Amino acid sequence: MYFHHFLRPAFGVRCLFFLLLGGAMLTCQAPKQASHGSDGPRPLSLLFLGHHSEHHHAEAYMPMLASSLIKQGIQLTYTADPDDLNDENLARYDGLIVYANHDSITTSQEKALLDFVAGGKGFIPIHCASFCFRNSPSYVALVGAQFQRHDTGTFVADIVEAAHPALQGVEEFETWDETYVHHMFSDDRTVLMERVEGDHHEPWTWVKTHGKGRVFYTAYGHDERTWGHPMFQQLILSGIVWAVGDEARARWQPYADSLPTLTYSPAENIPNYEKRDPAPQLQAPLSPEASKKLTQVPPGFSLELFAAEPDIVNPIAMAWDARGRLWVIETVDYPNDKRDGDVGDDRIKICEDTDGDGRADRFTVFAEGLNVPTSLVFAHGGVVVAQAPHFLFLQDTDGDDRADVREVLMDGWGTFDTHAGPSNLRYGFDNQIWGTVGYAGFEGTVAGKARQFRQGVYRFALSGETPQVSSFELVTRTSNNTWGLGFNENFEVFASTANNTHSVYVGIPDRYYGEDQALSTPTTRESGRRPERAPILGSRKIDGHYAMHPLTQLVRQVDVFGGFTAAAGHSFYTARTFPSDYWNQSAFVCEPTGHVLHRARIEPDGAGFQEQDGWNMLASADEWFAPVAAEVGPDGQLWVLDWYNFIIQHNPTPTPERGGFQAENGKGNAYVNPLRDQTHGRIWRLVYEAGTPSDMPQLHQDDADGLVAALENENLFWRLTAQRLLVERGKTDVVANLSALVEKASPDALGLAPAAIHALWTLHGLGALQGDQSDALQVAVKALRHPSAGVRKAALQVLPLTEAATQAVLDARLTDDPDPIVRREAALALSRRSESPQVAATLRQLPDSAATDDYWLKQAYALAHRGGAGTEVTADASVGTAPQADAQVIRIKVLKGEMKYDLQHFEVEAGKPVELVFENPDFMQHNLLVLQPGSLQKVGEAADKLAADPNGAAQNYVPQLPEVLHATPLVDPQQTVTLRFTAPAKTGTYPYVCTFPGHWRIMQGDMQVVTTLSSHP
């Protein structure tokens, strides 16, 4: 499989090529490639093979090249897997770049590579590629030589064949690099450049042919000093254009000629947190057609425009109705025009393509006069809309597609920050509505109970003819602003948070731990030990990498530099139109500040999951491109909302020291900026060209058979919509058909049986599983032994809490199930059931939580042993020593929204006990490290590296260095910890600092150790 890498530009050099070889441009037809779409003008597409190593750091250096090439119509796709050297995958590309140190190549990989080049494609090995695949003499001959040894130095390689087209536009340039010496030369090379050292003339850049294909090699390229050099980039550009051959070049040239030129002008109010010199300038917006040409998609896909301004402006959320029509929220009031009442200038539009040409041509305003609505979901014949402080129920009762009912469902959602409110409403398999909320949180009474919480994932149920909230549950808390939610096809729940946690797995809802849950962050920390932060128990950070992969270097971020700082969405690919390696294992996370849509590969990991970097689905060099939502549509394609705005960042408010100018904070807690745009917006469809669109049934509540049949649709959208309509229909005449569907559904190639899962949850929603003698209940009991693990899990979740159902769970022996997720759910299910002797005996036979390394099984077993809900599980029992009566108490608080401590200096007495109370009222996590004198830079640089480590969060972003004397864990928003330690015996200035990614250069202070206190803080 291949991974998409869309990269960060270093230079915008524009060089167009009109290369005529032998006096004529060849125009013969080539075999049509799936990724090319047509034989007309198109970009060049190359696979870039790197490796997992910071030596010759391919992942870091490729952006410097790709960001320059995209503006020339050349697109690179990254992989570190040599298995991608296969006929099917290579056929997608015009050429292959290798910059890696893989020791060996298999016979099949070697054959695919040699055939690819011999068939007329380009091969561009760079630098260390000449020491790759050393087990293959054929590969060495293909490259033209093998690396033998090197020194280092600053030098200029001499051009010896200036007239060769592979050096078009190239001039000699000076750079620091490794001074390669090669051996095992082939005789068919034409040397273009050589490195001269005394009397030695080392071949440095050469070309050759292999069959119908061409090879371009250069020994340049050890590190960023060369990769970032504009003339090196020109050298590779010229080499690519020559190597791909005349036919590909003939199609590329008119495409390159048609590319837009980005234009910039000086402007005030552009934040410059990175302190770039020169400061960022304002890019002019592009038309949808021009923006599309600077936006890269995976090979085999195309980007199709569904709607754009003036028909759509500032789209922020979308959903489809049972007819497959797209509904979009437009919000021009976001972020700062938050009104005291509910009336504003925002709207919900229904967008329809009535003539089948792929473009919306009918726009109906369903509701207007809204004020910063952030999400919508269909339910009970209408739509539920998140519009803090309210959730609204809107309904059209007369069939004119305009809302004539508007009711408040609940009140209490925070409004002090418009980008921290509720979002991501979606209908769950459990027939409840799920959603997320950021740090604005909730404080109010809902479902008859007063509640208060900050960021997290929640769910609620509606009931009654006039819908009312009948139940509400905070499923799990999260670590910072939360804008993403997604379900896979087995109803596993995932989320994303804005800052450095773009993939979260919700493994065990908080209700199992007890509602009060004062568990997540220790309140006291004794010195002398590394912080072992107790996690937020219901969910866990699972992202496997730090970096996002933008296609422009002109990314403006306030923290988590180069990483995810505005992650939004976590929808899975849950249809069958895309290639099979997407099915139920790829989630899509938007990053509007980086102008990318990320592909998160979600892989099983015991009783949980782990994310792997799947690079990007979309990435743009257009600085206005800002994907904020991505969902699989009724057609099985991926639909994307493009906010299309030059200013994305919400807060903190820039100052002259941080951001480069003094800004004003607005009513929505976003800084006021006249550059915020209210005239643009786009809706895109990412289409897999070789795929078959999903079957799109016509669903009606009065067509019960059609609704049951739709539970077998290959697209989750249609299955879940049919389930919702069946449950809302409320009739049990479908129970027999649903039961038959559970019994007949068999696992597919992925081991999934989605129809059975939806049928079980539909039976549950209809109340058909109540009563120990019901036929439907017996079907659910039988499903405990279904061959699909997802069905067994669903059966555990839908069975009622009765003695008969409990006995069925015991008889199925699912605590010994081969699937660890089913074992986890079985332990949780039994922990909630009656304390019969058999249940108690089964729970006693479960492994002790200490006997497993699996995080989620450890939690489930601990809960089961302790009796389930209402029991708190202490994740870190080593904290909380008794305070010393003579300890000096220091209180430090985070300044909300400023990334600073409120205390930048304090004194302590040498050798005396200290009690440091650290409070975090901010909207993101922070920590506090006390360091050795003079070690701030060293620790900070180590923190930068730790930020990119997938295990960094588990280490609380505390570098494992002796210079770190004392440290708190990561402290969640609205939490306080106490750090107890003995002050150093040696007087001096001891810095303290926050090492959350991107913070250490700003968020710091110093602790002065003195022999006698001058005053007490």
Side-chain angles (χ1 to χ4, degrees), residues 34 108 127 135 336 459 518 660 723 812 901:
S108 62
H127 191 65
N135 67 318
N336 279 324
R459 65 174 185 165
Q723 176 186 321
Y901 299 117

Side-chain angles (χ1 to χ4, degrees), residues 276-312:
R276 293 187 174 104
D277 186 14
Q281 293 188 325
L282 176 64
Q283 180 208 301
L286 300 176
S287 69
E289 294 74 18
S291 180
K292 174 181 174 179
K293 288 188 174 182
L294 293 180
T295 302
Q296 184 168 340
V297 303
F301 289 77
S302 62
L303 192 60
E304 298 183 1
L305 185 69
F306 183 72
E309 68 278 354
D311 298 314
I312 289 292

Side-chain angles (χ1 to χ4, degrees), residues 11 23 34 45 60 73 130 229 283 309 383 385-386 398 447 515 555 737 820 884 905 937 963 970 973:
F11 299 91
S45 179
S130 61
H229 199 293
Q283 180 208 301
E309 68 278 354
V383 290
V385 178
D398 58 11
E515 195 158 332
V555 172
N737 287 342
Q884 298 188 42
H905 174 84
Q937 186 71 25
E963 287 82 1
L970 282 173

